[in-house]
Every structure is written in C-alpha cells, then in structure tokens.
C-alpha cells in the first residue's frame, strides 16, 4: 500500500520556505537576517551595472583592458568590485569580428553574479544548458542573435571556481562617449554573450 505522503502534492513554496526558516531559527541560525542581507545584496550590490562599468572602462582605457584580460579578478578590484572568495578566477572573454563568446553553466546556474548580476531564468533552464553547447549558433539565433556564418562561436562552461564575463565589442557609433554613457548601453545579456550591442 502506498504511503499516504506519496499521494500528497508538495506544499506551496512559501510554506516550504517558512518551514525551512523556522528550522534554522530553532537551531539558533538567523535565517531572517540572512534573507534580508541577501535580498539587499541582490537588489543593490550584485547588479549588472558593475560589469557594465568594467566594460566601459575596458573600451576607453587600453591598459586597463589588457589587465582585465590578464586577470579579471585583480582588474575589477581597481573599480572597487569584488567577487566571493570561492570565485577564484574571473576570466574575461573578448569578442571580436571573428570570435563570439557565450557562457553557460552546464551543471547548474553559476555566473560571476557580483559583477554581471544574478543569472536570468532562461540561463538556468536545462534546455539552454544542454543546447547552447551542442548547437550554439541555432540557440543564439533563436534568442535573436544571428551571427555571420564565418564568426567562430566559443562556448565557455562555468565552474565553481572559474567565472566568466564576455567583453562585448564597442559599437562604432559610441566612439568618444563618456564611460557613464557607455555603461548605460551594456546589458547582462551582452556580458553572457547571447546579445551583441
Ligand atoms: Fe552552476
């Protein structure tokens, strides 16, 4: 005879979250404080504007661009930006006319979230994670990025300690713009590599 529990639908997510929170609180762990702090980090600090500032600096300062490509973690620190300790490497992938880079986490949803922001929902989908590796050109086209046939596409699979960001090409129309103006046009999608600017 089936266990009665097997036939029950799972409780709504709010109820399950509340139960987890209560279990943490009962053991002296301040779940509510952690959630408040995390919510603040997500909305105020881990924002794609950080990465956009990095891209704008790289476009306007060739020496910074070289440092960024050599060691992303050290270079973004020059702008006051940090990564969690377990994000040991920030590898910056430069797009050119000939090469287009796109990032994925085939295992789950890892990104350099303190720099480019939290992963979009589609980035976590099994379909994106599986297909962008095998048929990247088709997936990018479906997402609105139709690359020329002779553009090489490189797909980079994120790991726990190596995080990536794409350095998009600067649109020619933006030559001479200020860093702030340039940062305004840089999107999270462009830093993941599913869009060009
Ligand atoms: Fe992941």
């Amino acid at each position: 005879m089936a266990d009665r529990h097997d036939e029950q639908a799972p409780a709504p997510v709010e109820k399950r979250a509340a139960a987890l929170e209560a279990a943490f609180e009962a053991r002296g762990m301040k779940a509510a404080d952690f959630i408040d702090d995390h919510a603040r980090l997500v909305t105020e600090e881990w924002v794609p504007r950080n990465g956009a500032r990095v891209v704008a600096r790289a476009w306007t300062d060739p020496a910074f661009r070289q440092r960024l490509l050599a060691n992303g973690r050290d270079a973004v620190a020059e702008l006051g930006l940090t990564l969690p300790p377990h994000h040991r490497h920030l590898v910056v992938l430069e797009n050119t006319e000939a090469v287009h880079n796109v990032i994925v986490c085939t295992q789950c949803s890892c990104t350099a979230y303190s720099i480019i922001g939290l992963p979009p929902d589609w980035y976590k989908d099994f379909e994106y994670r599986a297909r962008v590796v095998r048929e990247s050109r088709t997936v990018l086209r479906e997402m609105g990025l139709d690359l020329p046939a002779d553009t090489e596409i490189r797909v980079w699979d994120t790991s726990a300690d190596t995080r990536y960001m794409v350095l998009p090409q600067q649109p020619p129309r933006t030559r001479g713009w200020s860093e702030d103006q340039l940062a305004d046009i840089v999107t999270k999608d462009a830093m993941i590599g599913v869009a060009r600017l």
Side-chain angles (χ1 to χ4, degrees), residues 94-182:
E94 185 177 35
N95 281 351
T96 64
E97 280 304 318
V99 176
H100 181 87
N101 298 283
V102 59
I103 64 179
V104 63
C105 177
T106 57
Q107 298 193 66
C108 44
S109 58
C110 302
T111 57
Y113 52 75
S114 64
I115 306 299
I116 70 171
L118 290 192
D121 286 344
W122 54 259
Y123 185 90
K124 304 179 221 173
D125 278 353
F126 185 71
E127 193 184 359
Y128 174 76
R129 286 154 44 202
R131 290 184 62 224
V132 78
V133 178
R134 293 199 306 263
E135 40 178 343
S136 47
R137 195 172 297 276
T138 305
V139 170
L140 291 177
R141 192 183 305 121
E142 288 169 5
M143 296 180 83
L145 179 59
D146 198 0
L147 292 167
D150 58 355
T151 301
E152 179 190 345
I153 301 173
R154 294 183 188 162
V155 183
W156 301 80
D157 191 4
T158 309
S159 68
D161 68 357
T162 300
R163 309 287 164 138
Y164 298 103
M165 73 174 274
V166 174
L167 175 58
Q169 280 185 289
Q170 181 176 359
R173 66 184 162 83
T174 66
R175 301 272 176 230
W177 288 16
S178 71
E179 268 186 59
D180 272 351
Q181 287 174 308
L182 291 168

